[in-house]
């Protein structure tokens, strides 16, 4: 087999995998889900899902990757189950779709760096106008995709690992800086209360299921991103501890993102927390208005810093999203890595164009589809996100867990996990992982897949 390259150290792998996990999902998605989902109660359920359900799935994905040293499609063949290749293909499709719209949002965030730096906070009030300037924001998107492709073209250790080791610590320091700053503002404590004191009466079916979806997306599970990264991990590494680290880092950064944003909303709302439920506009509209209200050079510094941070987080994720189809093309079609990278990136950018146009520029893509039972049309970007994040990821996760436990078998999974982990066999962690992968993950993810499809696309709400 050709030399595929690999991570050079344990910390390098953890940084890269945590970089994949930490992204728009943590800093843009998590706070708005918390805001709309009633605050602390959502946080609590999210945490439970991450550790109880997602962590075992993550260890499983990494183990499949390391065992086979291949992309998600090739991995199933290498284990001897060619019939399961479709699960890998579904993962590649999910990766392509996610990156296609994710890059559009990353492009908006990238453009915001310049708006904030120029003190143009008014962009927040006219966010719809901003996203409909497709040549401008599309240009930012193009630069973002090219940067992603450049990093991926440098390979695993020289590109992906290197950038993650540089950006992850920077990102953490920047978030901590912004948290500290936010806490000095008046009424910040009302934000903390909203965020951390749970009101369990606010929990309903959709809170639970949004928390689950958020956890799964945020940990980059269900599409083989971690099978792919796992395929570059050395046999010396302890997969279980690495997966635990990645989960802890991802959750901590989401948590810090909340600590950064809610005090700012507390400040802006004079303590009423009005605006916390702003939905997807929370960052681009509400938060940018807050930076404007802070004003002066602090407004510029904090606003610019925030969007730089958001772009760093997004970049280590787009890199992992691109690596999945690239690994597939390189391993299975034997195309040279550099060529594969630029080709795949170009295709995905093109696939993302309707998502770019569907935010005000083109009426057709803006009102793309009206789901059964819905009274408002959904735009193209949200539609693709619903198909990929809410449908393909839980389905993929369910299938990967089912495959590992019942087709490949837990004994084989345990063998792989035990390499580099001398105390794994016979431990409580082993027993728990086996249980989670055999029963919990396939059932919970399968149910979640069915409920989401019914609720999102057909308007049938069972819970
Ligand atoms: N986890 C990333 C985020 O939170 C998104 C992602 C999903 C990346 C799936 C890779 C695979 O932004």
């Amino acid at each position: 087999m050709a030399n595929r390259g690999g991570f050079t150290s344990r910390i390098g792998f953890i940084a890269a995998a945590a970089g994949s996990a930490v992204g728009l999902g943590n800093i843009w998605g998590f706070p708005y889900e918390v805001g709309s989902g009633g605050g602390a109660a959502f946080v609590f359920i999210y945490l439970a899902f991450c550790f109880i359900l997602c962590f075992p799935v993550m260890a499983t994905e990494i183990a499949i990757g390391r065992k086979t040293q291949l992309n998600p499609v090739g991995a199933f063949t290498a284990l001897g189950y060619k019939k399961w290749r479709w699960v890998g293909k579904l993962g590649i499709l999910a990766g392509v779709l996610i990156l296609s719209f994710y890059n559009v949002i990353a492009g908006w965030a990238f453009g915001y760096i310049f708006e904030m730096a120029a003190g143009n906070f008014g962009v927040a009030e006219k966010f719809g106008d901003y996203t409909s300037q497709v040549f401008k924001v599309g240009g930012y998107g193009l630069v973002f995709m090219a940067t992603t492709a450049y990093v991926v073209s440098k390979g695993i250790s020289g590109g992906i690992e290197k950038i993650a080791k540089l950006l992850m610590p920077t990102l953490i320091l920047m978030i901590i800086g912004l948290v500290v700053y936010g806490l000095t503002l008046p009424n910040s404590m009302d934000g903390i209360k909203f965020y951390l004191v749970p009101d369990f009466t606010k929990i309903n079916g959709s809170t639970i299921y949004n928390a689950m979806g958020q956890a799964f997306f945020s940990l980059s599970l269900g599409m083989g991103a971690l099978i792919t990264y796992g395929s570059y991990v050395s046999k010396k590494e302890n997969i279980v501890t690495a997966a635990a680290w990645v989960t802890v880092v991802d959750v901590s950064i989401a948590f810090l993102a909340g600590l950064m944003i809610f005090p700012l909303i507390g400040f802006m709302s004079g303590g009423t927390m009005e605006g916390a439920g702003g939905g997807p506009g929370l960052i681009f509209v509400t938060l940018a208005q807050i930076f404007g209200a802070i004003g002066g050079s602090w407004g510029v510094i904090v606003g610019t810093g925030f969007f730089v941070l958001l772009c760093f987080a997004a970049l280590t994720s787009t890199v992992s999203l691109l690596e999945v189809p690239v690994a597939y093309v390189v391993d299975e079609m034997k195309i040279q890595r550099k060529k594969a990278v630029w080709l795949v990136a170009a295709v995905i950018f093109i696939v993302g164009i309707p998502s770019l146009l569907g935010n005000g520029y083109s009426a057709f893509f803006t009102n793309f589809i009206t789901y059964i039972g819905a009274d408002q049309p959904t735009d193209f970007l949200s539609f693709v996100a619903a198909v990929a994040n809410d449908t393909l990821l839980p389905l993929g996760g369910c299938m990967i867990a089912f495959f590992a436990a019942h087709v490949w078998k837990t004994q084989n999974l345990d063998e792989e996990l035990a390499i580099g982990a001398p105390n794994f066999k016979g431990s409580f962690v082993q027993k728990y992982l086996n249980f989670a992968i055999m029963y919990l993950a396939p059932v919970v993810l399968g149910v979640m897949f069915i409920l989401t499809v019914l609720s999102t696309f057909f308007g049938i709400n069972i819970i």
Side-chain angles (χ1 to χ4, degrees):
M1 194 166 52
N3 182 6
R4 298 167 79 244
F7 294 108
T8 58
S9 66
R10 173 165 176 201
I11 221 42
F13 168 66
I14 293 175
S20 168
V22 174
L24 296 175
N26 303 57
I27 295 165
W28 169 68
F30 177 76
Y32 93 65
E33 293 277 5
V34 174
S36 331
F42 179 93
V43 180
F44 190 81
I45 301 177
Y46 168 80
L47 288 177
F49 273 127
C50 285
F51 288 101
I52 296 173
L53 187 80
C54 296
F55 158 65
V57 177
M58 180 182 293
T60 304
E61 281 205 26
I62 300 174
I64 294 177
R66 186 175 70 175
K67 170 81 190 170
T68 59
Q69 315 255 300
L70 282 170
N71 67 85
V73 178
F76 287 99
T77 316
L79 292 175
Y81 302 95
K82 242 185 146 165
K83 280 206 183 113
W84 282 79
R85 281 168 75 90
W86 67 274
V87 175
K89 288 192 179 157
L90 215 66
I92 310 276
L93 174 71
V96 167
L97 293 178
I98 293 175
L99 183 53
S100 79
F101 75 79
Y102 199 95
N103 188 69
V104 171
I105 303 171
W108 296 341
F110 185 45
Y112 255 56
I113 295 178
F114 305 102
E115 304 289 343
M116 297 292 119
N120 180 20
F121 301 107
V123 68
E125 268 92 66
K126 300 194 213 91
F127 184 59
D129 291 348
Y130 175 77
T131 59
S132 44
Q133 294 166 27
V134 291
F135 292 100
K136 181 169 139 186
V137 290
Y140 289 127
L142 192 61
V143 174
F144 207 90
M145 184 65 93
T147 311
T148 304
Y150 177 76
V151 174
V152 176
S153 77
K154 293 282 165 203
I156 305 306
S157 55
I160 295 177
E161 179 173 340
K162 216 171 176 178
I163 195 114
K165 281 206 253 181
L166 179 74
L167 294 188
M168 292 306 287
T170 317
L171 177 105
I172 294 174
L173 289 179
M174 289 178 85
I175 297 195
I176 294 176
L178 291 184
V179 170
V180 172
Y181 173 78
L183 291 176
T184 64
L185 297 171
N187 296 106
S188 57
M189 278 305 141
D190 296 301
I192 297 288
K193 240 185 254 148
F194 172 83
Y195 184 41
L196 297 183
V197 183
D199 174 358
F200 286 104
T201 59
K202 286 191 179 156
I203 296 182
N204 55 30
S206 72
T207 323
I208 297 180
Y209 123 162
N210 286 343
M212 167 77 245
Q214 174 62 28
F216 216 64
F217 177 79
S218 179
L219 288 163
S220 302
L221 298 173
M223 53 157 275
L226 290 158
I227 296 183
T228 309
Y229 272 17
S231 75
Y232 304 114
V233 170
S234 113
K235 291 279 182 196
K236 286 192 270 255
E237 301 306 341
N238 183 332
I239 294 179
V240 178
T241 11
W245 268 109
V246 175
T247 309
V248 168
V249 172
D250 185 65
V251 163
S252 312
I253 294 194
F255 187 74
L256 281 173
L259 276 188
M260 161 171 79
I261 287 166
F262 293 108
L264 293 176
I265 299 177
F267 158 70
M268 182 74 173
S269 63
T272 65
M273 294 310 285
E274 201 191 315
L282 188 64
I283 296 297
F284 289 106
V285 179
T286 317
L287 204 57
Q289 281 167 344
I290 297 175
F291 298 139
I294 293 170
S297 30
W298 273 113
V300 171
I301 294 169
V302 176
T304 312
F306 176 83
F307 285 99
V308 169
L309 171 166
L310 187 61
C311 286
F312 284 176
L315 184 62
T316 49
S317 299
T318 52
V319 158
S320 75
L321 285 160
L322 182 58
E323 177 58 32
V324 177
V326 165
Y328 169 66
V329 171
V330 170
D331 292 343
E332 308 291 308
M333 301 177 185
K334 312 277 178 254
I335 297 181
Q336 195 218 347
R337 187 177 172 89
K338 274 220 163 66
K339 256 193 220 145
V341 169
W342 291 99
L343 192 78
V344 173
V347 169
I348 296 177
F349 185 79
I350 294 168
V351 174
I353 289 178
S355 294
L356 174 70
L357 301 183
N359 281 279
Y361 182 79
S362 142
F364 175 73
F365 288 117
T366 305
N367 306 311
F368 184 66
I369 185 169
T370 305
Y371 301 139
I372 298 169
D375 38 50
Q376 298 256 351
T378 298
D379 65 276
F380 192 85
L381 190 156
S382 309
F383 171 66
V384 179
V387 169
N389 306 0
D390 304 340
T391 313
L392 295 180
L393 295 188
L395 177 63
C398 169
M399 289 296 144
I400 291 171
F402 183 86
F403 170 84
H406 302 287
V407 182
W408 187 37
K409 303 271 188 259
T410 33
Q411 297 88 292
N412 293 316
L413 173 63
D414 289 345
E415 279 314 318
E416 187 59 35
L417 291 173
I419 301 175
N423 303 326
F424 178 66
K425 285 212 175 146
S427 67
F428 169 76
V429 177
Q430 180 207 357
K431 295 195 181 89
Y432 180 71
L433 286 188
N434 285 353
F435 162 75
I437 295 302
M438 285 168 90
Y439 308 110
L440 197 63
V443 173
V444 174
L445 293 166
V447 168
M448 151 111 180
F449 163 71
I450 295 167
L451 291 181
T452 316
V453 170
L454 290 178
S455 148
T456 308
F457 302 110
F458 299 97
I460 303 172
N461 290 304
I462 295 176
I463 55 166

